[in-house]
């Protein structure tokens, strides 16, 4: 299944002197600049019936036509994987992702992903790039994600991510006892020696994470975090960088730091928590079709709650002792 897109527009006189690739997103705002530029290079966009280079200047009055066929994601198959739907309409889908579910197929994870599930439950979403996925959560991070059901919705949501108008808040349990919140503004890029990891590096991309303390225990903290940017592993890297790594983080966590006199049951719960204790708690965005501001908040998963309960009991037991 594929989608045939045919569009036509005339260049207004006020755009005189602007480049072809600059005018195109102004005429066809439902599509991203990068997608439109790719179509120019593919020869699918014509100016007065002729191909032009992306940087060619136009002078008003030209007729621009787009004739392109978007192939579906034939390399990926739909799979009957259950989805926890929090909200759905004709334009967007908000899901509560469980731990262990990979978002997008990659080497070693070609099947069993959120993308495979979306293709099964919503076959038409194959016409949207990446099956409508606009942002990701790590495999073992739980919580809210928005998925676009149309190309127009995807373009709008990506712009919200880029201009930081989409709000994303998380909860985490960290090693170490915090005294308060703060803001981490440290650039993140690929690790110098381990290409599977990210790190705070001088030449990295801008990354901003806000955090505030919800509750502190004997050797751990329960925190709320808000992202301004969305770099790979951002929260995990930033919290490790300030010496408050996430409990269960096998990549950035380091060795568990346990308080004196801790009960064996508590030690067992901490050591057997094999995923990073990170949950995408709240999502806020502007609806791509109606312009309405919408928000959702989802409860903590059971394993996260159980870990909190153990830490609370440990702190209370120590005080009583």
């Amino acid at each position: 299944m594929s989608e045939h897109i045919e569009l036509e527009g005339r260049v207004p006189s006020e755009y005189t002197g602007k480049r072809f690739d600059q005018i195109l997103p102004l005429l066809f705002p439902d599509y991203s600049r990068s997608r439109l530029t790719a179509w120019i290079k593919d020869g699918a966009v014509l100016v007065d019936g002729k191909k032009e280079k992306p940087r060619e200047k136009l002078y008003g009055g030209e007729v621009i036509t787009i004739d392109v066929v978007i192939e579906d994601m034939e390399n990926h198959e739909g799979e009957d994987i259950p989805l926890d739907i929090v909200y759905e309409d004709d334009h967007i889908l908000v899901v509560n992702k469980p731990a262990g579910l990979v978002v997008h197929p990659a080497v070693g994870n070609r099947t069993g992903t959120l993308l495979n599930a979306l293709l099964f439950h919503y076959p038409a979403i194959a016409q949207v790039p990446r099956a409508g996925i606009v942002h990701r959560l790590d495999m073992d991070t739980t919580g809210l994600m928005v998925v676009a059901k149309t190309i127009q919705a995807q373009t709008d949501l990506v712009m919200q991510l880029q201009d930081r108008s989409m709000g994303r808040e998380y909860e985490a349990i960290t090693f170490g006892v915090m005294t308060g919140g703060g803001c981490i503004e440290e650039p993140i890029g690929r690790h110098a020696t381990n290409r599977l990891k990210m790190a705070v590096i001088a030449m990295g991309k801008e990354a901003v994470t806000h955090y505030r303390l919800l509750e502190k225990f004997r050797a751990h903290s329960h925190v709320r975090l808000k992202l301004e940017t969305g770099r790979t592993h951002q929260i995990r890297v930033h919290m490790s960088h300030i010496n408050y790594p996430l409990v269960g983080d096998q990549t950035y966590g380091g060795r568990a730091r346990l308080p004196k006199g801790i009960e064996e049951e508590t030690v067992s719960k901490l050591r057997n928590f094999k995923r990073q204790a990170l949950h995408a708690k709240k999502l806020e965005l502007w609806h791509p079709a109606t312009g309405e501001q919408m928000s959702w908040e989802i409860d903590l998963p059971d394993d996260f709650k159980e870990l909190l309960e153990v830490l609370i009991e440990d702190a209370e037991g120590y005080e009583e002792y």
Side-chain angles (χ1 to χ4, degrees), residues 95-97 101-104 135-145 170 276 278-280:
V95 300
N96 180 23
K97 190 190 85 65
L101 181 64
V102 174
V103 170
H104 196 282
H135 65 116
R136 303 186 187 189
L137 294 177
D138 294 336
M139 178 178 73
D140 287 327
T141 299
T142 57
L144 295 170
M145 286 184 60
Y170 296 71
Q276 62 269 8
L278 183 62
H279 177 68

Side-chain angles (χ1 to χ4, degrees), residues 180-295:
C183 177
I184 309 166
E185 297 183 65
E186 296 287 354
I188 291 176
R190 190 67 60 183
H191 193 282
T193 56
N194 186 342
R195 307 307 291 173
L196 299 177
K197 293 177 62 174
M198 308 300 288
V200 168
I201 58 172
M203 299 301 291
K205 294 181 179 179
E206 179 194 15
V208 182
T209 306
H210 301 270
Y211 66 96
R212 62 185 175 89
L213 178 63
L214 296 178
E215 189 172 11
K216 58 184 177 181
F217 310 106
R218 289 209 294 143
H220 301 84
S221 300
H222 179 198
V223 296
R224 184 92 170 209
L225 307 109
K226 184 176 177 64
L227 292 180
E228 277 196 35
T229 53
R231 306 303 173 207
T232 301
H233 300 173
Q234 179 173 319
I235 289 174
R236 298 164 63 189
V237 171
H238 268 173
M239 298 312 289
S240 179
H241 180 71
I242 63 170
N243 296 316
Y244 292 102
L246 303 192
V247 168
D249 193 332
Q250 306 298 308
T251 303
Y252 303 101
R255 292 183 61 186
R257 289 168 280 180
L258 303 175
K260 294 179 180 180
I262 190 169
E263 295 286 338
E264 196 58 42
E265 180 186 355
T266 307
V267 174
S268 176
K269 282 283 186 181
L270 286 165
R271 287 182 173 163
N272 289 317
F273 200 88
K274 296 299 186 183
R275 70 176 186 90
Q276 62 269 8
L278 183 62
H279 177 68
K281 176 79 171 171
K282 184 178 181 180
L283 176 68
E284 190 171 53
L285 54 82
W286 300 91
H287 193 281
T290 67
E292 175 189 3
Q293 189 173 33
M294 306 182 76
S295 67

Side-chain angles (χ1 to χ4, degrees), residues 49 69 74 94 101 120 127 134 143 147 163 171 174 210 287 290:
V69 175
E74 58 185 18
V94 177
L101 181 64
F120 178 86
Q127 297 172 11
V134 296
V147 175
D163 66 21
E171 286 192 20
T174 73
H210 301 270
H287 193 281
T290 67

Side-chain angles (χ1 to χ4, degrees), residues 110-134:
R110 301 300 301 174
T111 60
T113 71
L114 175 62
L115 183 143
N116 298 112
L118 291 168
L119 291 174
F120 178 86
H121 295 287
Y122 304 94
I125 212 168
Q127 297 172 11
V128 184
R130 297 179 298 282
I133 295 169
V134 296

Side-chain angles (χ1 to χ4, degrees), residues 19-21 40 47 51-58:
R19 287 175 8 196
F20 183 20
D21 60 354
I40 294 174
V47 179
K51 295 180 182 179
E52 294 285 3
K53 295 179 180 178
R55 300 176 69 87
E56 189 72 25
K57 290 185 177 180
L58 303 183

